[in-house]
Amino acid sequence: SGARLILITPSIYEEAPKFEVPGDAAEPAVGVNAALGKCALDVREFAQKYNAGVADFWGTMNAVNEEQRKTDPLFSVVGPNRVHPGPVGHFVMAYAFLKAQNMPREVATLSVNARKKKDDHAVNCKIDKVVASKTGVEFDALENALPMVVPEEAKPALKLVPFEGQFNQEIVRVTGLKNGRYDLKIDQNSIGEYSADELRAGVDIAENPMTPQYRQSEAVT
């Protein structure tokens, strides 16, 4: 049929920390996570056999736990429930799923050359009507995607996995500017002030709440 097959490994069972909660979750069932690890190994072998992709929830979540417990022995990406993660754990799983699909890094890249008065590297967007003067440059841009606004309850996950760097880059790049500082505006509204060097390197506006793109995305998140 032409469909692409992506397998998923199970999420983890949290058996390391002893949580101060009543009920069965207080005492872990030792060995369950290792058994799930065997299931994960089987899934990876199936993927190799059938030339399928793998969204490795088990491996990703264990790696996050291992890294964070270097400084906090009681850290858990799942929590006291031991089985069902909350928003942070679910976001880590979503990251693993996107990674398995080789999703693009860029929401869009808007890049123009002020000296040549034209776009020089538009990614997932359309740029036209580039007009430059001695003091600045302006252009029209239509992006084909919006940045992802991460819900507040899931934002701690951004310190656990490189989601923003790998899947949520919205770059504005302007070359050919004279040295100095420039006010970056969208629809005549200022979203920040940047140096010519910063704009030449590219400014990531994906997490800037002042942009109309961010507000549009926030309204549907």
Side-chain angles (χ1 to χ4, degrees), residues 3-53:
R4 183 181 173 208
L5 178 63
I6 299 178
L7 306 180
I8 63 172
T9 65
S11 56
I12 66 173
Y13 172 79
E14 187 60 273
E15 63 181 60
K18 182 171 182 177
F19 300 106
E20 297 298 327
V21 295
D24 294 339
E27 293 296 333
V30 178
V32 172
N33 196 47
L36 290 171
K38 178 59 169 63
C39 294
L41 178 61
D42 290 343
V43 169
R44 288 191 287 268
E45 290 176 351
F46 290 149
Q48 191 170 28
K49 180 179 179 180
Y50 297 110
N51 195 29

Side-chain angles (χ1 to χ4, degrees), residues 59-82:
T60 302
M61 297 173 82
N62 272 295
V64 167
N65 271 351
E66 182 178 348
E67 179 63 27
Q68 295 302 311
R69 284 175 185 161
K70 292 177 181 178
T71 54
D72 180 5
L74 295 180
F75 176 87
S76 171
V77 74
V78 176
N81 181 274
R82 299 197 183 277

Side-chain angles (χ1 to χ4, degrees), residues 205-217:
I205 63 171
E207 297 180 77
N208 188 329
M210 303 296 292
T211 71
Q213 298 98 307
Y214 186 99
R215 292 195 292 270
Q216 280 182 290
S217 182

